Amino acid sequence: MAGGGRSHFTELKTDPGAPGLECLLAEVNKLERVRRLELPADLFADVSEKLVDAWRARASKEYPANLERMKPPRRLTLLATLCPVRQTEITDSLVDLFIQLVLKINTRAELKVEKELGGGAEEGPR
């Protein structure tokens, strides 16, 4: 987490920005990092769902500096509860970003075609 840049944890918790290629690639990078952890789906199978939810809520509110001060078992437990949820959320945001980008490209293409054909000033994008 050192090095003056934003920590992976901070990055993991951020929501995507405005639709664009840079944002899409940043979300893909986040997703790849989470997937590289290869956390087993049944990691917390023997722990109550209520307790896992409490750990996850705590992890999402922690500052990176607080996590760094924690002993590894506690820090890793909190992060392990957060990562699967964030993986799902990041995947959902990637789908949304992709759809928004396709719509943006489609709108630009329609406007360009309408402009080249000499019409479309009355109608606008659909």
Side-chain angles (χ1 to χ4, degrees):
M1 287 191 197
R6 198 162 71 171
S7 73
H8 295 308
F9 176 67
T10 302
E11 182 184 13
L12 175 68
K13 294 191 325 178
T14 61
D15 290 326
L21 182 58
E22 187 175 311
C23 181
L24 184 75
L25 294 176
E27 288 299 293
V28 167
N29 190 27
K30 264 196 273 188
L31 184 59
E32 287 175 345
R33 280 197 183 129
V34 174
R35 285 184 174 170
R36 275 188 293 219
L37 296 174
E38 298 181 3
L39 295 173
D42 62 348
L43 182 61
F44 296 104
D46 58 342
V47 180
S48 83
E49 190 173 325
K50 189 174 183 179
L51 183 56
V52 173
D53 288 343
W55 288 339
R56 185 180 305 123
R58 180 170 177 200
S60 68
K61 294 175 185 169
E62 285 293 343
Y63 290 104
N66 293 345
L67 279 173
E68 287 178 4
R69 286 191 292 267
M70 290 179 187
K71 294 186 187 232
R74 176 176 286 169
R75 178 177 56 238
L76 295 174
T77 299
L78 292 177
L79 291 173
T81 60
L82 181 64
C83 286
V85 171
R86 286 301 293 152
Q87 181 173 335
T88 301
E89 292 170 349
I90 293 166
T91 301
D92 291 347
S93 70
L94 274 169
V95 171
D96 290 341
L97 281 170
F98 187 70
I99 290 169
Q100 291 173 14
L101 283 173
V102 169
L103 290 173
K104 191 175 183 181
I105 291 167
N106 188 42
T107 300
R108 285 183 181 170
E110 285 179 5
L111 290 173
K112 185 174 182 176
V113 168
E114 289 173 357
K115 182 179 177 184
E116 288 179 9
L117 294 175
E122 305 85 27
E123 290 185 39
R126 295 178 190 165

